[in-house]
Structure formats: C-alpha cells, structure tokens
Amino acid sequence: QSVLTQPPSVSAAPGQKVTISCSGSSSNIGNNYVSWYQQFPGTAPKLLIYDNERRPSGIPDRFSGSKSGTSATLGITGLQTGDEADYYCGTWDSSLSAVVFGGGTKLTVL
Amino acid sequence: EVQLLESGGGLVQPGGSLRLSCAASGFTFRSYAMSWVRQAPGKGLEWVSADGSTTYYADSVKGRFTISRDNSKYTLYLQMSGLRAEDTAVYYCAKADAYSPATGIFDYWGQGILVTVSS
C-alpha cells in the first residue's frame, strides 16, 4: 500500500473537467508541500505542480493544484485526449524521513 | 538544458550486486539533492534514496543499497547489493529543486534504466 491514497482511475469527456484526489496524514501532506507528476506509458514522469499549486514553466494553466488539511487535489480543465496518462502525487513524510508517492491515477478521456 | 542519463542496469541473479550511474549536465550538480526513484513493471512510483544535505533511504532498501555522488564528475551512483526479485524495476535518476531532499519535488528525470533480478 502507498502512504498517499489516490483513486486508481478517473474518466471524463473531452473538454470537461476532472479532479484527482490525494489523501495523506499530518506527517506528510498535512505539514509539507505536495507535488504532482504526469507519466505517459514508457516515459519518465514529468513535474506538473509543486508547492501544492505552483506550475513549472511550460505547464498550461489547465492544470491546477490545491491542498486542504491532509488532502490535495489536482484539477485538469478543458480535457484533451493527450491528457490521458498516469498522475502521481508526492510529498515528504517527516515521520518516515522519506519521499512518498500516491499509488497513481489513470486518467481516461472518453 | 538539464540532462540526466542512467546507465549500469541489466540482468542480475538474486543476491547479486549492481551499480547504477546517472550522468548529469546542464546545472550545478553539487548544489542540488539527487534521488533514485523506481517503478516495478505495471506498478507505481517508489522513492528509493536521496542524497543532498543529508542522505536518506527507503526502508525497503536500507542496508542493501548505498547512494553516493561524485560532484567533480557530475555523477550520481546507486550501489545495490543483496538484490531480490522485488527490486526488479525501471530506476530513474531525479533532480530535486533544492539541496535538501526533503521537498519531494523532482523537476527533472532521467529516461530510466531497467534492472531485472532473476535466476
């Protein structure tokens, strides 16, 4: 089991909005910043969101992040078929002294 | 342009050893923490180890894997020993956004290298 909990899959139609949740505890999400990664099959992960809500240069504003308490959320608006990928949340866990990831969420754009 | 290039993967027997390398370029290597993250076939991401202001290991590899770096060669290493079938994975080298590994922010990743532990 992963320390952070994500839904295994989400789906939505092109043009719609989807959210992916990431649930943790006070030792990780509750007291540390959350990052989100996008991974296409056979390729390396790519940083999408860091510090809960900030986007690296080049990431479109269709992607957003938020955090409340011990949970974080990734939002994607204006869904495109090219957004079909696996999405992972990650953060530091102060009790484990380790980086922890969620189990990943597969996004399907129907 | 930041580039990370892993090497040293391959097939190894259970109980064996292997050393991975990650050649970095395009940034001041000594100023940033570096991590190894692995992904077993069909599974999610698993952080393995980090080196920066402090060195950290996942419990699953503690005592078996050793992370190190040569700042003069811009290279990160992962010495793996006592390998088990469950260590089979693609291993990624990842650059942190700061010298402290305790952020969980990996802004650049290598392409990954496959390690297969099997007899």
Side-chain angles (χ1 to χ4, degrees):
Chain A
Q1 274 95 314
S2 301
V3 173
L4 305 180
T5 300
Q6 296 181 234
S9 63
V10 296
S11 62
Q16 297 301 303
K17 174 181 179 177
V18 71
T19 60
I20 298 173
S21 61
C22 176
S23 178
S25 68
S26 59
S27 66
N28 42 67
I29 292 178
N31 284 285
N32 293 289
Y33 288 109
V34 176
S35 300
W36 289 90
Y37 301 88
Q38 177 189 58
Q39 185 182 35
F40 296 105
T43 70
K46 175 184 177 181
L47 180 64
L48 267 187
I49 298 288
Y50 67 100
D51 288 356
N52 304 330
E53 59 184 10
R54 300 181 67 177
R55 284 177 286 106
S57 174
I59 301 300
D61 58 8
R62 298 189 300 108
F63 296 90
S64 64
S66 63
K67 188 183 97 168
S68 178
T70 59
S71 293
T73 301
L74 173 70
I76 310 173
T77 60
L79 277 171
Q80 303 172 2
T81 55
D83 295 330
E84 285 200 337
D86 293 322
Y87 293 84
Y88 295 89
C89 58
T91 187
W92 180 256
D93 191 296
S94 304
S95 294
L96 298 174
S97 292
V99 175
V100 292
F101 290 105
T105 299
K106 182 177 181 58
L107 169 63
T108 300
V109 180
L110 302 167
Chain B
E1 178 191 7
V2 172
Q3 292 192 356
L4 301 171
L5 184 62
E6 301 95 339
S7 62
L11 175 64
V12 60
Q13 292 189 339
S17 299
L18 206 60
R19 187 178 84 157
L20 303 183
S21 299
C22 171
S25 63
F27 65 102
T28 305
F29 185 69
R30 65 179 181 273
S31 298
Y32 294 91
M34 298 293 295
S35 273
W36 290 97
V37 178
R38 68 185 181 184
Q39 187 169 34
K43 302 297 184 182
L45 301 176
E46 180 189 15
W47 173 81
V48 173
S49 181
D51 183 80
S53 53
T54 311
T55 298
Y56 299 98
Y57 295 94
D59 286 343
S60 58
V61 306
K62 203 170 293 183
R64 299 187 300 124
F65 290 11
T66 301
I67 191 171
S68 63
R69 64 196 293 165
D70 185 333
N71 289 333
S72 68
K73 295 183 178 180
Y74 272 49
T75 302
L76 178 73
Y77 303 100
L78 185 67
Q79 179 67 48
M80 305 183 291
S81 61
L83 283 162
R84 307 166 180 165
E86 53 265 36
D87 295 318
T88 294
V90 172
Y91 284 72
Y92 294 101
C93 166
K95 171 188 170 294
D97 73 323
Y99 189 51
S100 168
T103 64
I105 302 173
F106 303 117
D107 51 5
Y108 292 93
W109 298 66
Q111 86 289 349
I113 191 86
L114 179 62
V115 172
T116 303
V117 184
S118 175
S119 54

